[in-house]
Amino acid sequence: MTVRQDLHSADIPVLCQSCEARHRGVCGALDPDQLVGLAKTSSRHKIEPGIELIGDAETVDSFSNVLSGVVKLTKSLSDGRQQIVGLQFAPDFLGRPFKVESAINAEAATAVFLCSFPKAAIERMMKESPELEHRMLKQTLNELDQAREWMVTLGRKTASEKVASFLLMIARNIDPTVDPTAKSATFDLPMTRSDIADFLGLTIETVSRQLTRLRTDGVIRIENNRHVTVDSLSRLERRSGA
């Protein structure tokens, strides 16, 4: 991995220098001394697909930055039914400060790398750093905006537009190292067709049919039923109804 260089890299912990969470995530609000303090309490680890990261109504004692991979957020009903309510990508912050218990389930949809640290450490830094508190508020508001946009997708878009919107979201977010101005994308679908159907409020058959339609129309290419290539993101965006 290439280490990014900037004016303050010499003062930054080695593990933080190439981290997207420092450049684009919440840790970007911390000064070198704060990063050193947080790094002393943090740990990096890999989570395999399907492993639960946070349980609904579970006591929260740590937070994490998503370094790579996709996290699936779900909400469960008392009778066991479950709904996928969101996805998180690098460098998203996993957890909700100042809450004793989690209100959602979080599960690794793909292999996920996390940088985790104690809840007490980040909440103390939020009290000490207005910039960190501002960054956390900004991320929360971004999540709210995204949730509202997704409500429009689920409530008003056609099945074809929903599938195209999903693919566009994955293409733009799954790899944090890709140039955001890129005109094409290649990625592996991070969820099964069953999960995609659940997320979009469609049937599995409808998802498969719309993927086939996009492939037939030359908007996407699919290999091994999972590896997707989008030669023109602008074309996919037009199909999403955006």
Side-chain angles (χ1 to χ4, degrees):
M1 180 179 292
T2 302
V3 175
R4 293 193 185 193
Q5 298 295 326
D6 57 40
L7 294 177
H8 307 289
S9 287
D11 301 320
I12 301 298
V14 173
L15 286 178
C16 299
Q17 289 183 14
S18 60
C19 180
E20 289 297 323
R22 181 174 77 85
H23 294 278
R24 298 193 294 119
V26 297
C27 288
L30 301 178
D31 62 33
D33 288 340
Q34 290 171 320
L35 281 172
V36 169
L38 189 61
K40 290 179 180 178
T41 67
S42 67
S43 61
R44 291 193 177 193
H45 42 110
K46 179 182 180 181
I47 308 297
E48 296 298 331
I51 299 299
E52 184 179 82
L53 308 176
I54 302 174
D56 194 3
E58 181 179 285
T59 300
V60 177
D61 56 14
S62 66
F63 299 132
S64 301
N65 285 321
V66 180
L67 303 182
S68 67
V70 181
V71 175
K72 178 174 66 176
L73 305 178
T74 63
K75 188 70 178 177
S76 300
L77 300 179
S78 58
D79 61 3
R81 286 177 294 167
Q82 192 178 75
Q83 174 67 46
I84 300 174
V85 297
L87 300 175
Q88 287 192 307
F89 308 87
D92 287 343
F93 183 83
L94 181 60
R96 188 60 56 86
F98 306 117
K99 289 198 71 172
V100 177
E101 293 184 344
S102 171
I104 58 170
N105 296 81
E107 177 185 313
T110 66
V112 173
F113 281 91
L114 300 176
C115 180
S116 301
F117 29 80
K119 172 185 176 181
I122 200 70
E123 289 188 346
R124 182 182 65 252
M125 287 185 175
M126 285 180 67
K127 293 177 181 178
E128 297 171 352
S129 171
E131 179 58 29
L132 176 59
E133 189 173 33
H134 174 78
R135 185 71 68 98
M136 293 292 294
L137 175 60
K138 183 177 179 180
Q139 175 165 312
T140 300
L141 292 175
N142 286 340
E143 291 177 358
L144 177 60
D145 289 340
Q146 292 165 8
R148 288 170 172 168
E149 287 292 328
W150 202 246
M151 286 176 65
V152 174
T153 295
L154 297 181
R156 287 290 177 263
K157 290 188 177 182
T158 65
S160 178
E161 290 170 339
K162 287 180 180 181
V163 172
S165 294
F166 171 78
L167 293 175
L168 189 64
M169 176 178 62
I170 300 302
R172 287 175 169 170
N173 292 283
I174 196 167
D175 186 350
T177 65
V178 170
D179 183 352
T181 64
K183 299 183 184 302
S184 62
T186 301
F187 56 90
D188 288 335
L189 289 173
M191 300 193 298
T192 64
R193 277 164 170 68
S194 176
D195 275 351
I196 296 172
D198 178 23
F199 189 38
L200 298 177
L202 302 172
T203 64
I204 299 174
E205 293 76 16
T206 298
V207 169
S208 295
R209 189 161 54 246
Q210 295 305 326
L211 287 172
T212 299
R213 182 179 174 185
L214 288 169
R215 181 176 58 187
T216 301
D217 291 348
V219 180
I220 63 173
R221 289 181 279 133
I222 304 179
E223 299 175 19
N224 300 321
N225 212 35
R226 186 164 175 258
H227 189 69
V228 178
T229 299
V230 183
D231 293 316
S232 172
L233 287 172
S234 61
R235 188 178 179 193
L236 180 62
E237 183 176 12
R238 289 194 296 273
R239 295 291 289 264
S240 74

